[in-house]
Amino acid sequence: SYNENKSLIPASIQNLLTTRAGFEELGANFRFRTSIGYVGELDKKGVLQGDVVIVGGGDPILGSYRYKQTAIDSVFAKWYEILSVMGVKVIGGHLSFDASIYDDRPLHDSWMWGDIGNYYGCGVHGLNIHENMYFAHFDAGAALNQKATLINVTPKDIDLISEVNVTTGEVGSGDRVVIYGPPIDNVRLCTGTVPLGKKNFKIRGSLPNPPKTCAELFAKYLNKKGIAVANDVVKTSKPKRDVTMVFDYYSPNYAEIVAYANQTSNNIYVESIYKYLGYKKYKIGTFETGSQAINDYLRLHNLSTKGIRIVDGSGLSRMNMMTARFMTDFLTEVSKQPYYTDYLRTLSQIGKSGTAKNMLKNTNLKRDIYIKIGSMNGIKSYAGYIVGNNGDVITFCFMVNNFKCSGTKVGKKLEQILLMLI
């Protein structure tokens, strides 16, 4: 060990705390629930004299393009079918939404302005859709420094105004676009470069006002399917007790969600788990109740929180602090729990899966290495397990802050330390 008790910014190895607490408090088979209900009376002509209400349950994967069953059209088809079977032909009131399971503060105050317009800083709401992000499709210019063209955005029909200042960069330069914009405003400023020669080059940005966007997209879907929505989408003012629920939609199970979250550092998945833990214990999901729930959990397992500060679930904030000694103690304690095998499967495996698939190439590994990687500007963190064929386990944590070289160069140094351990 070296400086093992020094508090440093962990970046997304913070996910390990949040996702582990979820395994214990929620269980591997937990599923987020989104409900459809109505307020008012349905007359003989099929006119609902009232509102249809979408009640969010914090599901981060609702409408996600990653799985067929969670895609927007697949979800909306199920919701439409319920209303159709009921005999609804016209929604005379509003198609409204209730996202009150979480507070109205999707972003932590300390998240950086340069992060929050991009997909990884989109934040989490009580009602999410399409992972709270959109795709902007660009065609590069014909030569270096020429203006790139925004050709379309997906999902279609979202309320979005794009101000584009994107130009053409060198061949193979990758995605160097930064998108700026707050969570409720529908204006997004796109700056930076896309690579020369690229057509339909996809950039991911944060979706404006996801709860309202979800309801608006569903209203448009219903109108196309023949159920007319008479009025604009609104945030419901009705207490949940006044809403008659007719359908519950469930997410994939927790273990599946966490595997994707940990292996790709998907911040919305982790932040939704974090806020749900706060909701479960303190009746509303906020950054503060999420932090309280995680700290309560750590103390319950006799893990010292000295030198630890938790302000969000994903590690996107630079206010989070952690020590390497804490993390190795934490991971050691996890290895004694009945869900350890499930937890281990959610991590990237060096040479085989996730963000670690291409690490330590052409190296004859004598043990399996399961890892979570954290990266931000000037920050690189590795934490996880080295597992031998005989079942012996080494936990490890490396954190480096404030370096001036590239993150890739620091990563190569940390990989050399890993090799010494196996």
Side-chain angles (χ1 to χ4, degrees):
S1 61
Y2 178 76
N3 280 347
E4 68 272 22
N5 294 313
K6 186 175 183 64
S7 295
L8 296 172
I9 303 169
S12 59
I13 64 169
Q14 177 108 342
N15 291 11
L16 295 172
L17 308 186
T18 307
T19 56
R20 180 267 169 101
F23 264 112
E24 189 155 320
E25 297 298 318
L26 306 176
N29 293 316
F30 168 79
R31 297 174 187 269
F32 291 94
R33 180 179 66 188
T34 306
S35 300
I36 302 298
Y38 70 94
V39 178
E41 299 292 334
L42 182 65
D43 67 23
K44 295 180 180 179
K45 295 181 179 180
V47 178
L48 176 64
Q49 305 294 344
D51 301 342
V52 168
V53 186
I54 307 170
V55 181
D59 183 358
I61 203 170
L62 183 73
S64 172
Y65 62 95
R66 300 185 193 280
Y67 307 96
K68 183 177 180 180
Q69 71 270 26
T70 63
I72 289 177
D73 282 352
S74 295
V75 174
F76 286 175
K78 293 179 180 179
W79 297 358
Y80 160 76
E81 183 180 1
I82 294 301
L83 298 179
S84 179
V85 169
M86 285 174 58
V88 177
K89 296 179 180 177
V90 177
I91 299 172
H94 299 273
L95 203 160
S96 60
F97 59 91
D98 180 346
S100 61
I101 186 173
Y102 301 159
D103 64 356
D104 290 328
R105 188 173 152 224
L107 314 177
H108 193 271
D109 297 347
S110 62
W111 289 2
M112 296 180 68
W113 174 241
D115 289 339
I116 63 176
N118 297 284
Y119 73 96
Y120 53 84
C122 62
V124 68
H125 299 257
L127 177 62
N128 308 293
I129 191 69
H130 201 253
E131 299 185 6
N132 294 353
M133 64 91 171
Y134 72 97
F135 289 109
H137 301 251
F138 285 90
D139 281 351
L144 287 178
N145 301 318
Q146 283 194 1
K147 186 177 179 63
T149 303
L150 176 64
I151 55 174
N152 61 60
V153 299
T154 50
K156 297 178 181 179
D157 300 325
I158 60 175
D159 181 15
L160 180 71
I161 299 172
S162 297
E163 297 182 1
V164 179
N165 187 23
V166 177
T167 57
T168 304
E170 295 180 355
V171 173
S173 56
D175 174 5
R176 293 186 178 176
V177 175
V178 178
I179 300 176
Y180 297 94
I184 303 302
D185 193 356
N186 69 338
V187 177
R188 291 291 182 266
L189 171 63
C190 306
T191 67
T193 65
V194 297
L196 180 66
K198 290 293 185 180
K199 300 293 183 182
N200 197 29
F201 188 78
K202 289 196 296 188
I203 309 295
R204 291 179 287 179
S206 64
L207 192 67
N209 202 343
K212 185 179 180 184
T213 296
C214 177
E216 287 176 339
L217 290 175
F218 185 46
K220 291 173 182 177
Y221 183 92
L222 290 178
N223 280 316
K224 290 177 182 177
K225 287 289 188 177
I227 296 180
V229 182
N231 298 295
D232 292 339
V233 162
V234 296
K235 181 178 180 179
T236 187
S237 59
K238 301 291 184 181
K240 289 180 184 177
R241 64 176 180 272
D242 294 337
V243 180
T244 301
M245 300 301 177
V246 294
F247 181 68
D248 290 329
Y249 171 87
Y250 289 92
S251 72
N253 68 38
Y254 179 82
E256 187 173 355
I257 290 172
V258 172
Y260 189 85
N262 278 340
Q263 291 183 22
T264 64
S265 287
N266 188 300
N267 292 336
I268 179 181
Y269 288 22
V270 181
E271 293 297 349
S272 200
I273 294 165
Y274 177 80
K275 282 196 172 183
Y276 195 91
L277 291 169
Y279 162 76
K280 187 172 185 290
K281 187 161 188 180
Y282 295 102
K283 306 308 178 188
I284 187 169
T286 69
F287 285 105
E288 291 74 22
T289 60
S291 177
Q292 287 177 296
I294 298 292
N295 278 292
D296 291 347
Y297 173 77
L298 295 175
R299 284 189 287 268
L300 180 66
H301 287 274
N302 298 315
L303 288 162
S304 172
T305 56
K306 184 178 180 180
I308 309 303
R309 181 167 63 208
I310 300 168
V311 303
D312 67 15
S314 66
L316 192 59
S317 171
R318 289 174 179 260
M319 289 180 63
N320 292 303
M321 301 298 289
M322 191 178 296
T323 70
R325 168 60 67 191
F326 164 82
M327 179 55 78
T328 54
D329 288 347
F330 170 83
L331 292 171
T332 299
E333 197 273 335
V334 175
S335 70
K336 301 172 184 176
Q337 302 301 322
Y339 48 80
Y340 165 63
T341 301
D342 286 337
Y343 183 77
L344 197 64
R345 289 183 185 133
T346 72
L347 305 183
S348 298
Q349 189 172 359
I350 287 184
K352 295 183 180 179
S353 66
T355 52
K357 183 168 57 177
N358 295 318
M359 287 178 64
L360 297 176
K361 285 184 176 180
N362 303 317
T363 304
N364 184 21
L365 298 177
K366 298 176 182 178
R367 298 177 179 178
D368 292 324
I369 307 174
Y370 299 88
I371 192 170
K372 180 73 190 77
I373 300 172
S375 299
M376 293 196 291
N377 287 337
I379 299 168
K380 196 75 169 182
S381 302
Y382 289 172
Y385 298 94
I386 301 170
V387 182
N389 292 331
N390 61 354
D392 65 315
V393 176
I394 298 171
T395 62
F396 65 89
C397 178
F398 313 139
M399 291 190 288
V400 186
N401 283 190
N402 301 319
F403 52 83
K404 296 181 180 180
C405 62
S406 70
T408 300
K409 189 172 182 178
V410 172
K412 294 297 183 184
K413 296 288 187 182
L414 298 183
E415 287 179 25
Q416 293 303 309
I417 301 174
L418 266 179
L419 285 174
M420 294 170 64
L421 298 177
I422 60 175

